[in-house]
Amino acid sequence: MSFLSGMMLGLSLIIAIGAQNIWVLSQCMAGANRLVIAFVCIACDASLIIIGVYSANEIKLVLPGILPWLMWGGILMLLYLAYGSAQRAIKGTSGLKLTNTIKVSWWHTAITALAISLLNPHVYLDTVLLLGSIGALQPNPAQFAAGACVGSVIWFSSLVLFSPKLKVLLSSPMRWRVFDSGIAVILCFVALQLYMVKL
Protein backbone atom coordinates (compact mmCIF):
# COMPACT_ATOMS: atom_id res chain seq x y z
CA MET A 1 0.00 0.00 0.00
CA SER A 2 2.86 2.41 0.80
CA PHE A 3 4.42 1.69 -2.61
CA LEU A 4 1.16 2.41 -4.44
CA SER A 5 0.55 5.59 -2.43
CA GLY A 6 4.05 6.81 -3.22
CA MET A 7 3.66 6.07 -6.92
CA MET A 8 0.24 7.77 -7.16
CA LEU A 9 1.34 10.86 -5.28
CA GLY A 10 4.69 11.03 -7.06
CA LEU A 11 3.00 10.83 -10.45
CA SER A 12 0.31 13.38 -9.60
CA LEU A 13 2.88 15.90 -8.36
CA ILE A 14 5.25 15.35 -11.30
CA ILE A 15 2.49 15.55 -13.90
CA ALA A 16 1.03 18.74 -12.42
CA ILE A 17 2.16 21.31 -14.96
CA GLY A 18 4.81 23.73 -13.78
CA ALA A 19 7.90 25.46 -15.12
CA GLN A 20 9.95 22.26 -15.23
CA ASN A 21 7.36 20.13 -16.96
CA ILE A 22 6.40 22.78 -19.50
CA TRP A 23 10.06 22.87 -20.55
CA VAL A 24 10.44 19.06 -20.47
CA LEU A 25 7.28 18.49 -22.49
CA SER A 26 8.13 21.09 -25.11
CA GLN A 27 11.71 19.86 -25.49
CA CYS A 28 10.76 16.18 -25.66
CA MET A 29 8.03 16.83 -28.19
CA ALA A 30 10.52 18.77 -30.30
CA GLY A 31 12.97 15.84 -30.14
CA ALA A 32 15.78 17.61 -28.26
CA ASN A 33 17.99 14.99 -26.51
CA ARG A 34 15.04 13.27 -24.88
CA LEU A 35 17.06 10.51 -23.18
CA VAL A 36 19.36 13.07 -21.55
CA ILE A 37 16.40 15.11 -20.29
CA ALA A 38 14.69 12.00 -18.87
CA PHE A 39 17.86 10.76 -17.14
CA VAL A 40 18.63 14.11 -15.49
CA CYS A 41 15.04 14.68 -14.33
CA ILE A 42 14.66 11.15 -12.97
CA ALA A 43 18.00 11.37 -11.14
CA CYS A 44 17.08 14.73 -9.57
CA ASP A 45 13.60 13.60 -8.53
CA ALA A 46 14.77 10.27 -7.09
CA SER A 47 17.59 11.90 -5.11
CA LEU A 48 15.33 14.56 -3.62
CA ILE A 49 12.56 12.07 -2.82
CA ILE A 50 14.96 9.78 -0.94
CA ILE A 51 16.53 12.73 0.89
CA GLY A 52 13.07 14.02 1.81
CA VAL A 53 11.72 10.72 3.14
CA TYR A 54 14.78 9.91 5.23
CA SER A 55 15.30 13.49 6.41
CA ALA A 56 11.71 13.52 7.65
CA ASN A 57 12.43 10.33 9.60
CA GLU A 58 15.43 12.01 11.23
CA ILE A 59 13.31 15.05 12.09
CA LYS A 60 10.73 12.71 13.62
CA LEU A 61 13.37 11.31 15.98
CA VAL A 62 14.78 14.70 16.95
CA LEU A 63 11.61 16.81 16.87
CA PRO A 64 8.59 14.49 17.06
CA GLY A 65 6.18 17.40 17.48
CA ILE A 66 6.96 18.79 14.02
CA LEU A 67 5.47 15.92 11.98
CA PRO A 68 1.82 16.81 12.69
CA TRP A 69 2.54 20.30 11.33
CA LEU A 70 4.20 18.77 8.27
CA MET A 71 1.20 16.48 7.82
CA TRP A 72 -1.30 19.35 7.89
CA GLY A 73 0.97 21.39 5.66
CA GLY A 74 1.06 18.45 3.23
CA ILE A 75 -2.74 18.15 3.26
CA LEU A 76 -3.17 21.87 2.62
CA MET A 77 -0.61 21.81 -0.20
CA LEU A 78 -2.31 18.82 -1.82
CA LEU A 79 -5.68 20.55 -1.65
CA TYR A 80 -4.16 23.76 -3.02
CA LEU A 81 -2.64 21.87 -5.97
CA ALA A 82 -5.96 20.07 -6.52
CA TYR A 83 -7.77 23.41 -6.51
CA GLY A 84 -5.32 24.77 -9.11
CA SER A 85 -5.85 21.72 -11.34
CA ALA A 86 -9.63 21.98 -10.95
CA GLN A 87 -9.54 25.69 -11.83
CA ARG A 88 -7.52 24.96 -14.97
CA ALA A 89 -9.96 22.20 -15.89
CA ILE A 90 -12.95 24.54 -15.48
CA LYS A 91 -11.39 27.47 -17.31
CA GLY A 92 -9.51 25.43 -19.90
CA THR A 93 -6.29 27.38 -19.37
CA SER A 94 -3.85 24.47 -19.73
CA GLY A 95 -2.11 23.36 -22.84
CA LEU A 96 1.24 23.55 -24.55
CA LYS A 97 2.50 26.21 -26.89
CA LEU A 98 5.23 24.43 -28.82
CA THR A 99 7.91 26.29 -30.71
CA ASN A 100 10.70 25.05 -32.92
CA THR A 101 13.65 23.93 -30.81
CA ILE A 102 17.23 24.61 -31.83
CA LYS A 103 19.33 21.44 -31.70
CA VAL A 104 22.05 21.68 -29.04
CA SER A 105 24.66 19.30 -27.64
CA TRP A 106 23.68 16.68 -25.05
CA TRP A 107 25.78 18.30 -22.31
CA HIS A 108 24.12 21.67 -22.87
CA THR A 109 20.73 19.98 -22.60
CA ALA A 110 21.86 18.17 -19.43
CA ILE A 111 23.03 21.38 -17.76
CA THR A 112 19.81 23.16 -18.69
CA ALA A 113 17.68 20.27 -17.40
CA LEU A 114 19.70 20.21 -14.16
CA ALA A 115 19.27 23.96 -13.66
CA ILE A 116 15.54 23.90 -14.40
CA SER A 117 15.07 20.94 -12.05
CA LEU A 118 17.12 22.20 -9.10
CA LEU A 119 16.51 25.96 -9.35
CA ASN A 120 12.73 25.45 -9.30
CA PRO A 121 11.50 26.03 -5.71
CA HIS A 122 8.44 23.86 -6.31
CA VAL A 123 10.60 20.77 -6.72
CA TYR A 124 11.77 21.08 -3.10
CA LEU A 125 8.25 21.68 -1.81
CA ASP A 126 6.94 18.68 -3.75
CA THR A 127 9.73 16.15 -3.22
CA VAL A 128 11.60 17.03 -0.03
CA LEU A 129 8.83 18.58 2.08
CA LEU A 130 5.55 17.11 0.80
CA LEU A 131 6.63 13.62 -0.29
CA GLY A 132 9.11 13.43 2.58
CA SER A 133 6.60 14.29 5.29
CA ILE A 134 3.96 11.96 3.86
CA GLY A 135 6.51 9.19 3.39
CA ALA A 136 7.58 9.44 7.03
CA LEU A 137 4.00 8.69 8.10
CA GLN A 138 3.71 5.54 5.99
CA PRO A 139 3.97 2.03 7.49
CA ASN A 140 6.91 1.42 5.14
CA PRO A 141 8.69 4.69 4.18
CA ALA A 142 11.20 2.84 1.96
CA GLN A 143 8.38 1.39 -0.16
CA PHE A 144 6.74 4.82 -0.37
CA ALA A 145 10.00 6.39 -1.57
CA ALA A 146 10.48 3.57 -4.09
CA GLY A 147 6.94 4.07 -5.38
CA ALA A 148 7.45 7.82 -5.77
CA CYS A 149 10.71 7.17 -7.65
CA VAL A 150 8.96 4.67 -9.91
CA GLY A 151 6.33 7.34 -10.62
CA SER A 152 9.11 9.65 -11.79
CA VAL A 153 10.58 6.91 -13.99
CA ILE A 154 7.15 6.16 -15.50
CA TRP A 155 6.44 9.81 -16.29
CA PHE A 156 9.75 10.78 -17.85
CA SER A 157 10.15 7.47 -19.68
CA SER A 158 6.68 7.93 -21.12
CA LEU A 159 7.67 11.35 -22.39
CA VAL A 160 10.68 9.87 -24.17
CA LEU A 161 8.75 6.98 -25.69
CA PHE A 162 5.48 8.69 -26.55
CA SER A 163 6.42 12.35 -27.10
CA PRO A 164 5.62 12.33 -30.85
CA LYS A 165 2.10 11.06 -30.11
CA LEU A 166 1.76 13.32 -27.06
CA LYS A 167 2.40 16.31 -29.30
CA VAL A 168 -0.81 15.50 -31.15
CA LEU A 169 -2.78 14.18 -28.17
CA LEU A 170 -2.11 17.07 -25.78
CA SER A 171 -2.59 19.81 -28.34
CA SER A 172 -6.32 19.77 -27.55
CA PRO A 173 -7.49 22.09 -24.73
CA MET A 174 -10.41 19.72 -24.03
CA ARG A 175 -8.03 16.81 -23.41
CA TRP A 176 -6.02 19.00 -21.05
CA ARG A 177 -9.23 19.75 -19.13
CA VAL A 178 -9.86 16.02 -18.68
CA PHE A 179 -6.20 15.60 -17.72
CA ASP A 180 -6.36 18.35 -15.09
CA SER A 181 -9.64 16.97 -13.72
CA GLY A 182 -8.00 13.58 -13.16
CA ILE A 183 -5.04 15.18 -11.37
CA ALA A 184 -7.39 17.13 -9.08
CA VAL A 185 -9.23 13.93 -8.12
CA ILE A 186 -6.00 12.04 -7.40
CA LEU A 187 -4.62 14.85 -5.24
CA CYS A 188 -7.86 15.05 -3.21
CA PHE A 189 -7.81 11.27 -2.73
CA VAL A 190 -4.22 11.34 -1.46
CA ALA A 191 -5.03 14.26 0.88
CA LEU A 192 -7.94 12.23 2.31
CA GLN A 193 -5.71 9.18 2.68
CA LEU A 194 -3.11 11.24 4.53
CA TYR A 195 -5.79 12.59 6.87
CA MET A 196 -7.09 9.09 7.57
CA VAL A 197 -3.60 7.92 8.58
CA LYS A 198 -3.78 10.10 11.70
CA LEU A 199 -7.35 9.24 12.73
Side-chain angles (χ1 to χ4, degrees):
M1 190 61 180
S2 294
F3 180 88
L4 184 60
S5 297
M7 187 170 67
M8 286 179 58
L9 181 56
L11 270 171
S12 62
L13 291 175
I14 292 166
I15 294 171
I17 297 303
Q20 181 198 35
N21 280 327
I22 287 291
W23 180 81
V24 170
L25 282 167
S26 62
Q27 293 292 302
C28 284
M29 290 178 190
N33 299 314
R34 296 196 301 266
L35 289 174
V36 174
I37 292 171
F39 176 79
V40 171
C41 292
I42 290 169
C44 289
D45 275 2
S47 298
L48 292 173
I49 288 166
I50 292 168
I51 289 170
V53 169
Y54 288 100
S55 293
N57 282 330
E58 292 299 321
I59 293 171
K60 183 178 181 179
L61 294 174
V62 178
L63 299 169
I66 199 171
L67 273 189
W69 292 97
L70 291 176
M71 182 201 71
W72 285 110
I75 290 173
L76 291 174
M77 185 178 294
L78 286 167
L79 293 176
Y80 174 76
L81 292 171
Y83 174 77
S85 292
Q87 285 288 97
R88 291 193 301 272
I90 292 168
K91 296 178 180 178
T93 54
S94 289
L96 291 174
K97 297 179 177 63
L98 297 179
T99 58
N100 293 329
T101 303
I102 299 173
K103 297 293 183 181
V104 295
S105 63
W106 68 266
W107 60 268
H108 185 274
T109 300
I111 291 172
T112 306
L114 193 64
I116 287 175
S117 296
L118 297 181
L119 296 179
N120 176 14
H122 288 123
V123 75
Y124 298 100
L125 293 173
D126 292 347
T127 56
V128 177
L129 294 179
L130 183 55
L131 284 171
S133 60
I134 294 173
L137 296 170
Q138 298 296 311
N140 193 324
Q143 284 188 11
F144 181 89
C149 292
V150 167
S152 179
V153 172
I154 289 172
W155 171 246
F156 291 112
S157 297
S158 297
L159 288 183
V160 170
L161 293 172
F162 303 115
S163 55
K165 292 183 179 179
L166 285 172
K167 183 175 182 178
V168 176
L169 180 66
L170 297 181
S171 62
S172 166
M174 179 55 67
R175 288 170 183 161
W176 270 106
R177 295 177 83 167
V178 173
F179 184 73
D180 278 324
S181 298
I183 293 300
V185 171
I186 291 172
L187 290 171
C188 286
F189 173 77
V190 176
L192 177 62
Q193 186 183 49
L194 179 58
Y195 176 74
M196 296 296 289
V197 167
K198 298 304 290 181
L199 286 182

